[in-house]
């Protein structure tokens, strides 16, 4: 059973930067995504990337500020966040689907990380 383990989050001031990582327990060849969920809201797509570390896509709300990358030697996906805003505050989840298909819906993923709290202060 594939397991995804996320790094710890943190508290950052508005305008700052933060990196969150997601390590897989085995090599993967599908599609990877990041989602976020603020209190009282549904989990929403942030961005995604294929197992080759290419074809990255982003939600409009983070485009130009967030970057997703992969290091297959380390079986790790990264979410680099910059120019953070208070509205970026949420629990961030990594997710994986076995098929290498761009997917933006929660239902489209087979495996999930445990979640990482990111808090941006104003």
């Amino acid at each position: 059973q594939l397991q995804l383990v996320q790094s710890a989050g943190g508290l950052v001031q508005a305008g700052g930067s933060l990196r969150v990582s997601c390590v897989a327990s085995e090599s993967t060849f599908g599609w990877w995504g990041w989602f976020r969920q603020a209190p009282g809201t549904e989990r929403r797509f942030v961005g995604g990337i294929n197992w080759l570390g290419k074809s990255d896509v982003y939600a409009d709300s983070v485009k130009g500020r967030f970057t997703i990358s992969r290091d297959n030697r380390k079986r790790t996906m990264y979410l680099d966040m910059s120019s953070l805003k208070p509205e970026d505050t949420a629990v961030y989840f990594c997710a994986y689907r076995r098929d290498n298909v761009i997917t933006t819906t929660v239902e489209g993923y087979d495996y999930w990380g445990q979640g990482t709290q990111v808090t941006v202060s104003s």
Side-chain angles (χ1 to χ4, degrees):
Q1 178 82 355
L2 178 69
Q3 293 185 334
L4 308 180
V5 179
Q6 296 180 222
S7 60
L11 172 65
V12 61
Q13 289 188 330
S17 300
L18 189 68
R19 165 178 271 195
V20 181
S21 63
C22 174
V23 182
S25 58
E26 59 190 65
S27 297
T28 57
F29 303 96
W31 177 264
W32 287 84
W34 283 102
F35 287 75
R36 66 185 182 185
Q37 187 168 19
T41 69
E42 61 184 16
R43 194 170 298 186
R44 295 181 177 175
F45 180 73
V46 171
I49 196 167
N50 68 14
W51 69 276
L52 289 169
K54 299 181 179 180
S55 302
D56 49 331
V57 297
Y58 301 92
D60 289 342
S61 58
V62 306
K63 198 172 295 182
R65 301 188 299 120
F66 290 12
T67 302
I68 298 172
S69 61
R70 282 192 51 77
D71 184 339
N72 282 332
R73 293 172 300 174
K74 297 181 180 179
R75 303 193 304 275
T76 301
M77 176 175 65
Y78 301 97
L79 176 64
D80 287 295
M81 302 176 282
S82 63
S83 301
L84 282 162
K85 306 174 182 179
E87 51 263 43
D88 294 318
T89 295
V91 177
Y92 285 73
F93 296 89
C94 63
Y96 171 74
R97 64 169 288 152
R98 290 183 289 265
D99 296 334
N100 188 23
V101 176
I102 296 174
T103 304
T104 62
T105 62
V106 170
E107 296 76 14
Y109 287 83
D110 304 305
Y111 302 94
W112 291 85
Q114 82 276 18
T116 296
Q117 177 68 50
V118 173
T119 303
V120 183
S121 63
S122 57

